[in-house]
Each structure stands twice: as C-alpha cells, then as structure tokens.
C-alpha cells in the first residue's frame, strides 16, 4: 500500500507540474523524447515510470531531481521490510559477494530472467511483477556508476543449463558483465560433487569501513547477518564455495560453450 501511494503521488505531481508549465502530453513527450501515448500511460499508471523517464522529466520540468527522488522512495517502499536493510548495505558497499546454487544472482539478471523468477509466485499481479523488475534493474545501476563496487559472483553450472528460452540472452549478459574489470564470475562445475554451498544462497557486502554484512534468503523471507560469529561462519562458507569454483577464464569459456550449444 505504501508503494502504491508513493506511485500515485508521482503521477499527480507529474501531471500537475506539466500542466503548470502549459505543456500537453504530446509536447512534453517531444521534449523528453517519448511518444504522447507513453506519457499518457505513465501518468495514468498503466506503464511504470523507470529511472530514465524520471531523469528526463526532471530535466524537462526543471524539478531539481524531484522525480528521481520520488521514484527511489517508491521502489524502496515496494520492497519487503526484511529486504530493505540489505538493499541499503548493497547500495553503499565497496565489495559484494554472491552465491546461488539454483538461480542467477539478482544483480546480474536480465529483465526477462528477473520477470520469469518473479512469476514463480503465480498470485502476484502483473503490475507488481513489472514494478519489481524495474526495481531490480535499478539496483543494477551500482555496477555502472563512476565508482562501482568490486563484485564476485559464484554460480552453479546447473543454473546455467536450465532449458528455457530466456537463457541464451541471460548467458550473453553474464559474459558481457564478466568483461567489466570489477565484476568476476566463477562457475562451480557440475562434477564438483557435494559442497557447502548446497545448503543455500548467500550474499555478502563490505562497506568502506571494512565491516561485512551478510544476507540469507529462503522461501518466505530473508535475514540480515552482521554479528561477529555469524559473519565469521558466512565468510568461511563463502571461501568454501569460491574454492570449488572454476577460475574466471574457464568460467567464461564454460558460459560461452553453454550459450553456443545450449543446455545439455
């Protein structure tokens, strides 16, 4: 409910400021490089506002960043309360570590892959799915900012070999991300046998003051870990999964092989 109220506030303010400056939807669209139908869809809520639209609206209407700020509020409000502390840690982290034995980590997902994952909950409204996809893509902007965090992701080979039409696009995206100097992707080969990571996914964030925060997620919720003993255990688990993964060069070669030949 909180996120819906913020989204409606954005739409009201957008319509109000556009009207105060005497612009029709078509004229605003021309200045912002959008069609009049897109402007109408955003203002009526049938199309969610993304960051690019908010930035263009702020520029055209000279708001001083109002819509970008409101959009960030809406996206934060739309996240479960248990997830917000992790989002805060992820946003300011200098180093990030991700492991998932079954899925591609959210920070490295394409829109189509994220959409498919979010649709696991078949009772979730389509509008909520699209808002969550937009939020997930907004999270990924930390990867391309001026001073991005160092990211190390460990992915199980089984997650790469899912027989799904969207995996070719997702694999190409992973290879592209791995070409960035601050992103390191390692694959655990399927012949690795039993290892500590099979007990579940984990994420770790290291802030500029050197402190680590962990995040564990299950079917119902998630847990932020920042206590000394808990973090010591998670860091040891991380070393365990990293230790059975392939080097980056071999991991990229494996991803390219799966991409070109398909899951086998």
């Amino acid at each position: 409910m909180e996120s819906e109220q913020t989204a409606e506030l954005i739409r009201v303010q957008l319509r109000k400021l556009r009207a105060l400056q005497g612009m029709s939807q078509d004229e605003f669209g021309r200045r912002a490089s959008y069609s009049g139908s897109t402007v109408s869809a955003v203002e009526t809520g049938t199309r969610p506002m993304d960051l690019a639209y908010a930035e263009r609206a702020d520029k055209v209407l000279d708001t001083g960043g109002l819509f970008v700020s409101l959009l960030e509020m809406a996206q934060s409000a739309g996240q479960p309360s248990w997830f917000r502390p992790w989002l805060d840690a992820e946003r300011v982290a200098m180093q990030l570590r991700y492991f998932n034995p079954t899925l591609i980590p959210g920070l490295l997902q394409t829109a189509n892959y994220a959409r498919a994952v979010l649709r696991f909950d078949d009772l979730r409204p389509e509008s909520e799915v699209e808002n969550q996809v937009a939020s997930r893509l907004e999270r990924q902007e930390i990867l391309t900012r001026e001073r991005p965090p160092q990211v190390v992701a460990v992915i199980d080979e089984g997650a790469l070999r899912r027989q799904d039409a969207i995996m070719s696009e997702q694999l190409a995206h992973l290879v592209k991300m791995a070409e960035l100097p601050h992103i390191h992707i390692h694959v655990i080969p399927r012949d690795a046998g039993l290892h500590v990571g099979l007990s579940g996914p984990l994420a770790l964030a290291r802030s500029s003051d050197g402190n680590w925060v962990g995040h564990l997620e299950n079917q119902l919720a998630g847990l932020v870990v920042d206590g000394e003993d808990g973090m010591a255990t998670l860091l040891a688990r991380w070393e365990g999964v990293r230790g059975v993964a392939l080097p980056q060069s071999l991991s990229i070669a494996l991803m390219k092989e799966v991409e070109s030949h398909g899951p086998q």
Side-chain angles (χ1 to χ4, degrees):
M1 182 63 68
E2 182 182 355
S3 61
E4 293 175 1
Q5 292 173 342
T6 308
E8 177 59 23
L9 172 64
I10 292 174
R11 293 192 290 269
V12 169
Q13 291 301 314
L14 185 57
R15 292 192 297 265
K16 179 179 179 180
L17 291 178
R18 175 180 58 76
L20 285 174
Q21 296 196 25
M23 279 186 262
S24 66
Q25 290 180 337
D26 287 336
E27 181 180 357
F28 175 83
R30 284 193 297 273
R31 296 190 185 189
S33 301
Y34 289 97
S35 67
S37 60
T38 297
V39 174
S40 176
V42 171
E43 292 188 0
T44 57
T46 57
R47 177 189 186 278
M49 178 189 285
D50 57 19
L51 182 63
Y53 193 101
E55 289 175 342
R56 294 300 300 165
D58 281 332
K59 183 174 181 179
V60 171
L61 299 173
D62 192 23
T63 68
L66 171 66
F67 291 112
V68 168
S69 297
L70 288 174
L71 181 63
E72 290 174 349
M73 286 174 55
Q75 291 171 342
S76 175
Q79 299 291 346
S81 58
W82 53 263
F83 196 49
R84 294 179 198 174
W86 170 252
L87 289 179
D88 291 339
E90 184 181 71
R91 192 176 298 116
V92 301
M94 302 296 292
Q95 293 178 309
L96 290 165
R97 306 286 184 262
Y98 298 97
F99 167 71
N100 197 307
T102 55
L103 296 171
I104 307 301
L107 213 62
L108 298 173
Q109 293 177 3
T110 64
N112 285 328
Y113 188 98
R115 190 172 288 112
V117 171
L118 290 164
R119 284 175 177 158
F120 288 169
D121 180 358
D122 57 9
L123 298 179
R124 179 176 289 163
E126 189 63 21
S127 60
E128 183 178 332
V129 170
E130 292 305 317
N131 284 334
Q132 290 293 317
V133 169
S135 296
R136 189 159 297 186
L137 297 181
E138 296 295 340
R139 282 174 58 200
Q140 297 175 7
E141 291 187 358
I142 65 172
L143 301 179
T144 54
R145 67 192 183 193
E146 184 176 354
R147 293 183 178 274
Q150 180 202 60
V151 177
V152 182
V154 175
I155 302 170
D156 194 275
E157 183 179 348
L160 304 178
R161 294 189 180 274
R162 303 294 182 198
Q163 296 188 14
D164 195 294
I166 63 175
M167 279 308 301
S168 178
E169 176 192 47
Q170 178 62 66
L171 284 163
H173 180 68
L174 286 176
V175 171
K176 180 180 178 180
M177 290 292 98
E179 293 173 351
L180 297 175
H182 58 284
I183 297 180
H184 310 274
I185 299 176
H186 302 272
V187 178
I188 297 178
R190 56 186 174 185
D191 62 0
L194 294 175
H195 58 83
V196 68
L198 294 175
S199 59
L202 64 89
L204 303 167
R206 182 179 182 273
S207 61
S208 59
D209 60 10
N211 290 324
W212 286 93
V213 173
H215 186 255
L216 304 174
E217 194 167 331
N218 57 41
Q219 291 277 358
L220 297 178
L223 172 68
V224 170
V225 179
D226 56 9
E228 184 175 344
D229 291 343
M231 279 311 310
T233 298
L234 291 184
L235 288 168
R237 296 280 176 91
W238 167 260
E239 291 301 323
V241 298
R242 177 64 187 85
V244 295
L246 297 171
Q248 169 130 320
S249 59
L250 294 180
S251 296
I252 293 175
L254 177 57
M255 289 188 288
K256 289 181 176 179
E257 184 270 327
V258 177
E259 180 187 4
S260 60
H261 295 99
Q264 297 176 2

